[in-house]
Short mmCIF file of all heavy atoms in Angstrom, two decimals:
data_model
loop_
_atom_site.label_atom_id
_atom_site.label_comp_id
_atom_site.label_asym_id
_atom_site.label_seq_id
_atom_site.Cartn_x
_atom_site.Cartn_y
_atom_site.Cartn_z
N VAL A 335 -1.56 -2.47 26.76
CA VAL A 335 -3.03 -2.72 26.51
C VAL A 335 -3.31 -3.00 25.10
O VAL A 335 -4.30 -3.79 24.80
CB VAL A 335 -3.78 -1.49 27.09
CG1 VAL A 335 -3.48 -0.35 26.19
CG2 VAL A 335 -5.27 -1.80 27.17
N LEU A 336 -2.58 -2.48 24.14
CA LEU A 336 -2.84 -2.75 22.72
C LEU A 336 -2.48 -4.17 22.37
O LEU A 336 -2.81 -4.60 21.24
CB LEU A 336 -2.08 -1.82 21.83
CG LEU A 336 -2.56 -0.32 21.99
CD1 LEU A 336 -1.70 0.58 21.01
CD2 LEU A 336 -4.06 -0.10 21.73
N GLY A 337 -1.63 -4.90 23.13
CA GLY A 337 -1.12 -6.04 22.72
C GLY A 337 -1.93 -7.32 23.17
O GLY A 337 -1.64 -8.53 22.89
N ARG A 338 -3.04 -7.05 23.90
CA ARG A 338 -3.75 -8.18 24.37
C ARG A 338 -4.57 -8.88 23.30
O ARG A 338 -5.23 -8.24 22.48
CB ARG A 338 -4.83 -7.72 25.45
CG ARG A 338 -4.19 -7.11 26.72
CD ARG A 338 -5.17 -6.52 27.70
NE ARG A 338 -4.56 -5.98 28.83
CZ ARG A 338 -5.12 -5.05 29.77
NH1 ARG A 338 -6.43 -4.74 29.53
NH2 ARG A 338 -4.49 -4.61 30.66
N ILE A 339 -4.43 -10.15 23.27
CA ILE A 339 -5.03 -10.96 22.17
C ILE A 339 -6.20 -11.84 22.79
O ILE A 339 -5.98 -12.52 23.74
CB ILE A 339 -3.99 -11.84 21.50
CG1 ILE A 339 -3.02 -10.92 20.83
CG2 ILE A 339 -4.64 -12.74 20.41
CD1 ILE A 339 -1.92 -11.66 20.16
N SER A 340 -7.33 -11.84 22.22
CA SER A 340 -8.54 -12.55 22.58
C SER A 340 -9.05 -13.27 21.36
O SER A 340 -9.27 -12.91 20.36
CB SER A 340 -9.64 -11.63 23.14
OG SER A 340 -10.79 -12.28 23.42
N SER A 341 -9.07 -14.61 21.65
CA SER A 341 -9.54 -15.59 20.53
C SER A 341 -8.68 -15.43 19.29
O SER A 341 -9.29 -15.46 18.10
CB SER A 341 -11.02 -15.44 20.18
OG SER A 341 -11.80 -15.55 21.40
N GLY A 342 -7.40 -15.13 19.43
CA GLY A 342 -6.53 -15.09 18.29
C GLY A 342 -6.55 -13.67 17.60
O GLY A 342 -5.95 -13.45 16.59
N VAL A 343 -7.28 -12.73 18.18
CA VAL A 343 -7.43 -11.38 17.55
C VAL A 343 -6.92 -10.33 18.51
O VAL A 343 -7.41 -10.24 19.69
CB VAL A 343 -8.91 -11.13 17.10
CG1 VAL A 343 -9.10 -9.75 16.58
CG2 VAL A 343 -9.48 -12.19 16.12
N PRO A 344 -6.14 -9.38 18.12
CA PRO A 344 -5.72 -8.19 18.91
C PRO A 344 -6.81 -7.15 18.97
O PRO A 344 -6.71 -6.14 18.30
CB PRO A 344 -4.43 -7.77 18.34
CG PRO A 344 -4.62 -8.09 16.76
CD PRO A 344 -5.36 -9.38 16.77
N ARG A 345 -7.83 -7.40 19.70
CA ARG A 345 -9.08 -6.63 19.67
C ARG A 345 -8.87 -5.22 20.11
O ARG A 345 -9.42 -4.29 19.53
CB ARG A 345 -10.14 -7.33 20.39
CG ARG A 345 -10.64 -8.50 19.66
CD ARG A 345 -11.76 -9.22 20.50
NE ARG A 345 -12.19 -10.47 19.67
CZ ARG A 345 -12.89 -11.50 20.09
NH1 ARG A 345 -13.18 -11.49 21.46
NH2 ARG A 345 -13.35 -12.37 19.26
N ASN A 346 -8.01 -5.01 21.17
CA ASN A 346 -7.70 -3.60 21.59
C ASN A 346 -6.95 -2.83 20.50
O ASN A 346 -7.19 -1.56 20.40
CB ASN A 346 -6.90 -3.64 22.85
CG ASN A 346 -7.73 -3.98 24.08
OD1 ASN A 346 -8.93 -4.18 23.96
ND2 ASN A 346 -6.97 -4.19 25.17
N ALA A 347 -6.05 -3.50 19.79
CA ALA A 347 -5.37 -2.75 18.71
C ALA A 347 -6.32 -2.48 17.50
O ALA A 347 -6.28 -1.37 16.91
CB ALA A 347 -4.15 -3.64 18.17
N VAL A 348 -7.21 -3.36 17.25
CA VAL A 348 -8.30 -3.18 16.14
C VAL A 348 -9.07 -1.93 16.57
O VAL A 348 -9.31 -0.97 15.80
CB VAL A 348 -9.17 -4.32 15.99
CG1 VAL A 348 -10.34 -4.00 15.10
CG2 VAL A 348 -8.33 -5.56 15.34
N LEU A 349 -9.54 -1.82 17.80
CA LEU A 349 -10.28 -0.77 18.34
C LEU A 349 -9.65 0.54 18.33
O LEU A 349 -10.15 1.59 17.83
CB LEU A 349 -10.77 -1.09 19.70
CG LEU A 349 -11.94 -0.07 20.34
CD1 LEU A 349 -13.11 0.02 19.53
CD2 LEU A 349 -12.17 -0.46 21.78
N ALA A 350 -8.35 0.58 18.74
CA ALA A 350 -7.55 1.83 18.72
C ALA A 350 -7.26 2.35 17.35
O ALA A 350 -7.40 3.50 17.09
CB ALA A 350 -6.17 1.47 19.46
N SER A 351 -7.01 1.36 16.42
CA SER A 351 -6.70 1.85 15.07
C SER A 351 -7.94 2.45 14.39
O SER A 351 -7.90 3.43 13.74
CB SER A 351 -6.33 0.62 14.23
OG SER A 351 -5.09 0.12 14.76
N SER A 352 -9.09 1.82 14.66
CA SER A 352 -10.33 2.35 14.11
C SER A 352 -10.85 3.65 14.68
O SER A 352 -11.20 4.63 14.04
CB SER A 352 -11.49 1.36 14.33
OG SER A 352 -11.25 0.09 13.79
N VAL A 353 -10.58 3.87 16.01
CA VAL A 353 -10.83 5.14 16.73
C VAL A 353 -9.99 6.20 16.19
O VAL A 353 -10.41 7.37 15.92
CB VAL A 353 -10.72 4.96 18.29
CG1 VAL A 353 -10.78 6.33 18.93
CG2 VAL A 353 -11.85 4.01 18.75
N PHE A 354 -8.74 5.98 15.96
CA PHE A 354 -7.79 6.95 15.53
C PHE A 354 -8.21 7.33 14.07
O PHE A 354 -8.16 8.53 13.74
CB PHE A 354 -6.36 6.35 15.51
CG PHE A 354 -5.28 7.40 15.21
CD1 PHE A 354 -4.59 8.01 16.12
CD2 PHE A 354 -5.00 7.76 13.90
CE1 PHE A 354 -3.63 8.95 15.82
CE2 PHE A 354 -4.08 8.66 13.50
CZ PHE A 354 -3.37 9.30 14.57
N GLY A 355 -8.52 6.29 13.23
CA GLY A 355 -9.13 6.64 11.88
C GLY A 355 -10.39 7.52 11.94
O GLY A 355 -10.40 8.51 11.12
N PHE A 356 -11.24 7.24 12.84
CA PHE A 356 -12.47 8.03 12.85
C PHE A 356 -12.09 9.42 13.35
O PHE A 356 -12.85 10.49 13.07
CB PHE A 356 -13.54 7.42 13.66
CG PHE A 356 -14.88 7.98 13.58
CD1 PHE A 356 -15.51 7.96 12.43
CD2 PHE A 356 -15.42 8.55 14.66
CE1 PHE A 356 -16.88 8.51 12.33
CE2 PHE A 356 -16.75 9.19 14.50
CZ PHE A 356 -17.36 9.15 13.31
N LEU A 357 -11.17 9.51 14.30
CA LEU A 357 -10.81 10.84 14.77
C LEU A 357 -10.27 11.73 13.70
O LEU A 357 -10.52 13.00 13.57
CB LEU A 357 -9.73 10.68 15.79
CG LEU A 357 -9.12 12.02 16.41
CD1 LEU A 357 -10.17 12.85 17.13
CD2 LEU A 357 -7.95 11.73 17.36
N CYS A 358 -9.54 11.10 12.67
CA CYS A 358 -9.07 11.84 11.54
C CYS A 358 -10.24 12.41 10.70
O CYS A 358 -10.15 13.49 10.18
CB CYS A 358 -8.15 10.93 10.73
SG CYS A 358 -6.68 10.37 11.46
N VAL A 359 -11.30 11.62 10.68
CA VAL A 359 -12.56 11.98 9.87
C VAL A 359 -13.17 13.25 10.64
O VAL A 359 -13.53 14.22 9.88
CB VAL A 359 -13.59 10.84 9.87
CG1 VAL A 359 -14.90 11.43 9.17
CG2 VAL A 359 -12.91 9.68 9.04
N LEU A 360 -13.23 13.14 11.92
CA LEU A 360 -13.87 14.38 12.74
C LEU A 360 -12.94 15.54 12.47
O LEU A 360 -13.50 16.64 12.38
CB LEU A 360 -13.82 13.90 14.17
CG LEU A 360 -14.83 12.88 14.47
CD1 LEU A 360 -14.85 12.59 16.03
CD2 LEU A 360 -16.20 13.11 13.94
N LEU A 361 -11.57 15.45 12.38
CA LEU A 361 -10.70 16.53 12.23
C LEU A 361 -10.97 17.24 10.86
O LEU A 361 -10.78 18.35 10.73
CB LEU A 361 -9.24 16.11 12.39
CG LEU A 361 -8.80 15.86 13.79
CD1 LEU A 361 -7.33 15.30 13.79
CD2 LEU A 361 -8.75 17.22 14.64
N SER A 362 -11.39 16.41 9.93
CA SER A 362 -11.65 16.92 8.50
C SER A 362 -12.87 17.93 8.55
O SER A 362 -13.04 18.71 7.79
CB SER A 362 -11.89 15.81 7.62
OG SER A 362 -13.12 15.20 7.77
N TYR A 363 -13.80 17.75 9.66
CA TYR A 363 -14.86 18.69 9.86
C TYR A 363 -14.56 19.75 10.72
O TYR A 363 -14.92 20.82 10.55
CB TYR A 363 -16.08 17.81 10.23
CG TYR A 363 -16.60 16.70 9.36
CD1 TYR A 363 -16.42 15.34 9.50
CD2 TYR A 363 -17.35 17.19 8.21
CE1 TYR A 363 -16.86 14.47 8.61
CE2 TYR A 363 -17.94 16.30 7.38
CZ TYR A 363 -17.66 14.82 7.53
OH TYR A 363 -18.23 13.99 6.63
N TRP A 364 -13.82 19.44 11.86
CA TRP A 364 -13.56 20.24 12.98
C TRP A 364 -12.48 21.36 12.49
O TRP A 364 -12.57 22.56 12.80
CB TRP A 364 -13.24 19.71 14.14
CG TRP A 364 -14.20 18.79 14.78
CD1 TRP A 364 -15.57 18.94 14.54
CD2 TRP A 364 -14.11 17.79 15.82
NE1 TRP A 364 -16.19 18.06 15.40
CE2 TRP A 364 -15.38 17.28 16.04
CE3 TRP A 364 -12.97 17.20 16.39
CZ2 TRP A 364 -15.64 16.29 16.97
CZ3 TRP A 364 -13.25 16.09 17.31
CH2 TRP A 364 -14.54 15.68 17.54
N ARG A 365 -11.34 20.84 11.90
CA ARG A 365 -10.27 21.65 11.55
C ARG A 365 -9.77 21.47 10.19
O ARG A 365 -8.68 20.97 9.89
CB ARG A 365 -9.10 21.33 12.55
CG ARG A 365 -9.39 21.54 14.05
CD ARG A 365 -9.78 22.93 14.35
NE ARG A 365 -8.67 23.87 14.26
CZ ARG A 365 -7.77 24.16 15.23
NH1 ARG A 365 -7.98 23.58 16.46
NH2 ARG A 365 -6.87 25.02 15.05
N PRO A 366 -10.55 21.82 9.16
CA PRO A 366 -10.23 21.49 7.84
C PRO A 366 -9.25 22.39 7.22
O PRO A 366 -8.67 22.13 6.15
CB PRO A 366 -11.61 21.65 7.08
CG PRO A 366 -12.38 22.71 7.94
CD PRO A 366 -12.00 22.39 9.36
#
Side-chain angles (χ1 to χ4, degrees):
V335 67
L336 295 183
R338 293 175 185 167
I339 296 177
S340 176
S341 301
V343 177
R345 289 177 175 164
N346 287 352
V348 170
L349 185 60
S351 299
S352 300
V353 169
F354 190 96
F356 193 64
L357 177 61
C358 296
V359 175
L360 296 179
L361 286 173
S362 72
Y363 294 105
W364 295 339
R365 303 298 293 271

